[in-house]
Amino acid sequence: MSILVDENTKVVVSGITGGEGAFHSALMQDYGTQVVAGVKPGGGGTVTERGVPIFDTVAEAVEKTGANAQFVVVGPRFAADSIIEGAAAGIDLIVCITEFIPVQEMVTAVRFVKSQGTTRLVGPNCPGILTAGKGKIGIIPPSSFTPGSVGVVSRSGTLCYEIVDALTRAGIGQTTAVGIGGDPILGSTFVDILPLFEADPETKAVVLVGEIGGADEEIAAEYIKTMTKPVVGFIGGRSAPPGKRMGHAGAIVSGTSGSAQGKVDALNAVGVAVAETSSDVPGLIRQALARVGVTV
Amino acid sequence: MSILVDENTKVVVSGITGGEGAFHSALMQDYGTQVVAGVKPGGGGTVTERGVPIFDTVAEAVEKTGANAQFVVVGPRFAADSIIEGAAAGIDLIVCITEFIPVQEMVTAVRFVKSQGTTRLVGPNCPGILTAGKGKIGIIPPSSFTPGSVGVVSRSGTLCYEIVDALTRAGIGQTTAVGIGGDPILGSTFVDILPLFEADPETKAVVLVGEIGGADEEIAAEYIKTMTKPVVGFIGGRSAPPGKRMGHAGAIVSGTSGSAQGKVDALNAVGVAVAETSSDVPGLIRQALARVGVTV
Amino acid sequence: MKMQEYQGKELLAKYGVPVPKGQVADTPEEAAEAARALGGVAVVKAQVLAGGRGKAGGVKVTKTPEDAQAFAASILGKELYFEQAKGNLQIDRVLVEEALSIAKEYYIGITTDRGSQRNVFIVSSQGGMDIEEVAHSHPDAIGRLPVDPFLGVRDFDIRRVAQQGGIPAAEIKDLAPFLKKLYQAYVDSDATLAEINPLVVTTDGKFIAGDAKISIDDSALYRHPELAVYAETSEETDEYEKEAHRRGINNYVHLGGNIGIIGNGAGLVMGTMDEVKRAGGEPADFLDIGGGAKAELVKNSLELVLSDPNVKGVIFNIFGGITRGDEVAKGIIAGTESVKVTVPIVVRLAGTNAAEGLAILKGTDLIPAETMQEAAQKIVSLVGSD
Amino acid sequence: MKMQEYQGKELLAKYGVPVPKGQVADTPEEAAEAARALGGVAVVKAQVLAGGRGKAGGVKVTKTPEDAQAFAASILGKELYFEQAKGNLQIDRVLVEEALSIAKEYYIGITTDRGSQRNVFIVSSQGGMDIEEVAHSHPDAIGRLPVDPFLGVRDFDIRRVAQQGGIPAAEIKDLAPFLKKLYQAYVDSDATLAEINPLVVTTDGKFIAGDAKISIDDSALYRHPELAVYAETSEETDEYEKEAHRRGINNYVHLGGNIGIIGNGAGLVMGTMDEVKRAGGEPADFLDIGGGAKAELVKNSLELVLSDPNVKGVIFNIFGGITRGDEVAKGIIAGTESVKVTVPIVVRLAGTNAAEGLAILKGTDLIPAETMQEAAQKIVSLVGSD
């Protein structure tokens, strides 16, 4: 088990012939992921250097290869359309790492994906998903991962890597790490991913990595109330001064709403210990697991 | 039991102040239906002659009265928007009798209704739904109905009345009659309604009233194969000469596809007896019920 | 509402869909002038709604303006026989167009599809012939694309349908704008059918609509006043159907038997036909007064049906939902007062306000019937079976 | 990209949203002329991105062209202090507008909302004041309308939101076209915020945008070349932030401490700030090089951070996913070569191509660290805590 991605996931890569697309598809293959197809308009009938067949459309790739997941790594002008193409072709899981997709296009794309009912989108502007030892879709660097029992879900890509690194250094392995992305319009938020960890028998505890801005952590806290598995939190930007923009469109501190303290309070209120810095996460996870009788 | 409409159905009428809207809302009330609200833009805060409160929007009517069904009886220029309004307000069942709604508007409206997931649309250009002795939404004349165990689903409104009349004259009562309408773009087709009859404990047999044109009866036959309850068919237009348009946009005979004979063959092939004329329906129903051990 | 070729091409041109240069001509002289403006060589095409104009002798490539004039003179104001319409149609207008240098002919159609509940493109590399034949003979050469109304035509859709339809990938860059503009024209005009057959690929690689067969949704004509002016054009070849068209009776089909049939709802009227046939009669017509008909329409319908000298009896079968029995009864009375009635009329009234209607008919010569079956049997027994 | 009021109003006018008559002026003389064209009485408004222009002394109703000229002269080329921006901003341009005869002031805003994943209208009858205050003081006077992108703004939506926002039913016929046009302007322009506060209802019942605060999605500017020309306008009041803007570094915030922080990803940079603080240091800045940064941007970033004389040490924290360690290493080397480095620089490189990056940095004065925590502790111990 694990969530979303494993050794049976069959990935079609939209943008497989681009620089990043080719590079990261190869890294995905190196990590054992089944990359079964690529899509490049007009490129149908050819194969990549690594022997992956290329098709003109996602629909054809699905028909011919049984792909059930799509990695979207095309430029920002084409990414929303590529997501829509994947959802229209009945793909189960779409991971889009593309940054700078026009927001209005994402409003349309997410609306369409949700109207399809059966497709899950992770991203855009996210690092993707990595299941330790089984496979990955996206750009998460696998070197820090080690198989284990902790799930990680993060708004920030690099903080996600950091926390996985800290866990592994502390001898705590992971099931799956999901980077949901930092854009204002996202396919999946915390409350879409947490239930998957809750249902996954291998996952014993979850690290939720939030950051300032928005209300996703507060909404997640409502759901965590209903979870049986322990969750440990970390909020990036606790030391950020209020009123200053810190990158991500989402990371705007305005009054209480969206502040690090508001999020910490909301999580604490539902029994979630929140780490002061990322290096405190492994200790809190160990305590949380001990409380439910799991020793790591 | 019964399907779609019963004594607990709470109807909001969009267009309750129009001529047909007022007339048929009153007939619905006379038949025992709970008409809990009306909608008329700008008319909020008033009541109809029969004391039904009027609201400016369906959403408000739902909030204030708990309406769970909507009867759309506005003019063709406003009907598609009214359907969308009902679906957006979370109405469970929308019945639209309006004729001559522009087809492109219905393409949009039906797409929206289906994307909502929880709303069922019957119509447009249909007579509506009547559950014998319990209630009705639409314009079906109730005088011929008598409670019993036969469900009726019909593309044609008037043929539906005719067949109910024939059943009652033969001493065979009905559960619910559903007129799905004759437009090219419909909210519900045979295969949307048949499963409801199949699941309804009170319904023991079903009459399917089709007509020439389209492939709805052929598609229905595929579903009927899986049903446990007997179905009797009738196809209007068996004597219509091929190549002639007979009213409804849908009723175009072209080659085999859409012909009465094609439909009769498809139904016969799955064990459905098809009546030659509507007056033969009661006899076939009686035989069909006898075969499953029900005497009427 | 069906549009003639030149009307359809005018509509398409407004949306940027490429069409051949050309103009319509009502006289041979205008045809000559149009051909001259095109440089001499031209294609002259009779403008009628029926298909099969080539076989009917309504299309000719002319080498000189004089040729164009002579051909136009030979068909304008004349009637040609159309196999598909099974009758003669008068040619009042021709379209004079540039002769395209044709490399290939494709087929593009859009229609609004019951099954998928969407507008669906049909795309095929096998253009210039009957698409239904292509569907049988080359099923692999047909691409089908249901368009999500919320998304419109997307590039990935076009790549897919082109591939299915056998159109080379290299031509997608030309096909894509053609399909997108055609779709916009279709949706914005409330069309129910738009067929471009052939879609001509010229020897210099341009995509041009060689023909245009467009139908507009009658229910939406109110918001297309610029198209509604075309609505006069009728394709009926039957004189009673032409008369029905003039009287605003939309659902009338002349069948040629001896028992006139008038009812409300297509299904019920067809059901009545079935009962009449079973009783041994032969329907003279199919006439559906529709839902909620007013007395005036009922009167008009009765007058139309009685104008057919073959009609030896009439059956009215009304089971009112939105149609009200009293309105129908008033219309029947009005009809019997305006024309001399020499044949029996059986009236079956049921449903909404049936009692009120029957009260109005009381004391007239009209013959009441309680059920459809009874009505059919009564009229056939009065008229005698064929 | 934030647009100034006059730019926003130009944009709205293109979509038929009613705005007051008026024109921009760069000089007092132009202001006088503009006031004259309006008939004398005018409102002169400083054009800056910061809010609170009235309090800053940037808005005045003038009775004569001479008044307008005098007021324009008193602010053009001068700096005004803006409380909201906590700093001085220079006024380079004024908007001279007709003085509206105001009966009522409403509030209309649209923004793209994370929660509902839609564009959401905020509508209130309580206009002309801070909407957040209204939300607190009159929560019942706020209507909220998430717009389904597939449907656009529908009449029933407008009836509903008007009712919630306390706008009388009788005014919906005027409100509806205003909202529909505003929505079209918003979507077509790829806006992320459009605030009309106040929406003026004039004494003769017209709806006019009294102000316009519009932001455009930077990611979509490529397809709005007509708007991209406005992108030069900057609202930064901090000199380092202005310099970052000039260098094309989009995610830089000057914080004033002594340890420069550069990293990839907003979360990681914030996390690094947290670790530096815990170790006893004080961040000089937040600088996120983003994902997939090239060497040139890294070099530029280092130069910017080092240009702050308060900076006594720099920490590079890179955990590469799409960012590649070798690119970053090349950029760091280039940065240290282009400016004289007198402070310690700690570099933590992990993730994609980290090994390649570390190989490049080998043999330099840069201080390596294996983890973020270690990097923070090293730089603080080298610089000394505050």
Side-chain angles (χ1 to χ4, degrees), chain C residues 94-117:
Chain C
V94 295
L95 175 59
V96 183
E97 278 188 340
E98 64 175 321
L100 299 172
S101 173
I102 299 172
K104 285 190 275 194
E105 293 187 325
Y106 293 158
Y107 172 94
I108 306 287
I110 322 183
T111 188
T112 308
D113 173 53
R114 292 176 73 90
S116 63
Q117 300 176 315

Side-chain angles (χ1 to χ4, degrees), chain A residues 39 41-42 56-60 63 80-81 84-85 88 108 111-112 116, chain C residues 118 148 150-151 153-161 163-164 169-170 172:
Chain A
V39 169
D56 285 312
T57 61
V58 174
E60 194 187 354
E63 260 170 33
D81 210 50
I84 290 171
E85 180 180 6
T108 300
R111 173 72 175 86
F112 179 71
Q116 288 297 86
Chain C
R118 295 186 179 185
D148 187 330
F150 289 156
L151 297 175
V153 188
R154 299 263 161 170
D155 287 333
F156 62 80
D157 284 334
I158 294 172
R159 292 201 300 274
R160 181 96 171 126
V161 76
Q163 190 178 51
Q164 291 171 346
I172 287 175

Side-chain angles (χ1 to χ4, degrees), chain D residues 34-299:
Chain D
R36 202 166 290 122
L38 293 168
V41 180
V43 188
V44 181
K45 300 158 101 173
Q47 296 298 289
V48 280
L49 292 175
R53 290 177 300 175
K55 284 187 189 158
V59 179
K60 192 174 181 186
V61 179
T62 56
K63 302 283 182 199
T64 66
E66 293 69 32
D67 282 0
Q69 180 164 357
F71 177 65
S74 76
I75 59 172
L76 280 170
K78 312 284 172 13
E79 289 194 342
L80 296 179
Y81 179 78
F82 286 82
E83 181 62 35
Q84 284 185 22
K86 296 191 197 313
N88 287 332
L89 286 169
Q90 181 169 314
I91 311 303
D92 293 323
R93 188 166 274 187
V94 293
L95 175 59
V96 182
E97 277 187 342
E98 64 175 320
L100 298 172
S101 174
I102 299 172
K104 287 191 274 194
E105 293 186 327
Y106 294 158
Y107 172 94
I108 307 286
I110 322 184
T111 187
T112 308
D113 173 53
R114 292 176 75 90
S116 62
Q117 300 176 316
R118 295 187 179 185
N119 300 310
V120 176
F121 271 105
I122 306 291
V123 171
S124 174
S125 60
Q126 307 293 308
M129 51 184 114
D130 183 340
I131 192 66
E132 288 185 42
E133 271 175 38
V134 176
H136 280 111
S137 59
H138 297 81
D140 292 349
I142 302 264
R144 233 179 140 274
L145 166 61
V147 181
D148 187 330
F150 288 156
L151 297 175
V153 188
R154 298 263 162 171
D155 286 333
F156 62 81
D157 284 335
I158 293 172
R159 292 201 301 273
R160 182 97 171 125
V161 77
Q163 191 179 50
Q164 291 171 346
I167 293 178
E171 291 177 14
I172 287 174
K173 67 176 194 316
D174 298 309
L175 180 67
F178 193 96
L179 291 188
K180 287 178 181 176
K181 287 169 184 168
L182 181 59
Y183 178 77
Q184 209 54 50
Y186 183 90
V187 171
D188 285 2
S189 310
D190 281 296
T192 53
L193 175 74
E195 247 186 334
I196 311 299
N197 190 18
L199 162 61
V200 170
V201 184
T202 61
T203 46
D204 55 345
K206 297 216 162 56
F207 279 54
I208 300 179
D211 196 355
K213 191 173 171 184
I214 295 179
S215 297
I216 304 294
D217 179 4
D218 291 327
S219 299
L221 275 183
Y222 75 86
R223 56 184 172 198
H224 301 288
E226 78 289 359
L227 299 179
V229 299
Y230 296 145
E232 288 311 303
T233 320
S234 147
E235 63 178 322
E236 281 89 8
T237 55
D238 178 278
E239 59 179 305
Y240 296 103
E241 292 180 10
K242 284 180 186 169
E243 176 62 18
H245 189 89
R246 276 190 289 272
R247 286 177 183 261
I249 298 168
N250 296 320
N251 292 314
Y252 172 86
V253 180
H254 186 234
L255 298 169
N258 61 351
I259 294 176
I261 298 179
I262 303 173
N264 65 321
L268 187 68
V269 179
M270 290 192 289
T272 313
M273 285 165 55
D274 294 344
E275 291 283 6
V276 166
K277 279 213 157 189
R278 168 184 275 202
E282 199 58 50
D285 63 81
F286 163 100
L287 197 165
D288 169 17
I289 61 172
K294 296 296 172 201
E296 181 64 23
L297 179 69
V298 175
K299 167 178 174 286

Side-chain angles (χ1 to χ4, degrees), chain B residues 71-156:
Chain B
F71 175 34
V72 176
V73 57
V74 300
R77 301 186 187 195
F78 310 103
D81 210 52
S82 195
I83 291 168
I84 290 170
E85 179 180 8
I91 288 280
D92 296 329
L93 172 67
I94 303 174
V95 174
C96 177
I97 65 157
T98 309
E99 200 179 2
F100 304 124
I101 303 176
V103 174
Q104 292 300 325
E105 290 190 22
M106 280 313 305
V107 168
T108 301
V110 167
R111 173 72 174 86
F112 179 72
V113 168
K114 302 232 156 153
S115 81
Q116 289 297 87
T118 55
T119 298
R120 178 187 304 275
L121 168 66
V122 173
N125 189 14
C126 80
I129 303 165
L130 189 149
T131 294
K134 293 185 180 169
K136 70 165 194 155
I137 304 178
I139 56 170
I140 297 181
S143 55
S144 305
F145 281 81
T146 188
S149 56
V150 175
V152 179
V153 57
S154 175
R155 275 168 74 180
S156 158

Side-chain angles (χ1 to χ4, degrees), chain D residues 300-344:
Chain D
N300 247 308
S301 299
L302 184 55
E303 288 173 6
L304 172 68
V305 169
L306 290 173
S307 72
D308 177 356
N310 283 343
V311 168
K312 304 301 180 203
V314 176
I315 178 170
F316 261 98
N317 186 16
I318 305 296
F319 206 132
I322 195 131
T323 303
R324 302 186 191 177
D326 47 344
E327 276 292 322
V328 173
K330 283 181 209 160
I332 297 175
I333 300 284
T336 56
E337 283 169 356
S338 76
V339 294
K340 192 163 179 279
V341 180
T342 58
V343 301

Side-chain angles (χ1 to χ4, degrees), chain B residues 11 13 24-33 35 71 136-138:
Chain B
V11 184
V13 180
H24 287 285
S25 297
L27 292 184
M28 282 159 56
Q29 288 182 289
D30 292 345
Y31 198 61
T33 317
V35 176
F71 175 34
K136 70 165 194 155
I137 304 178

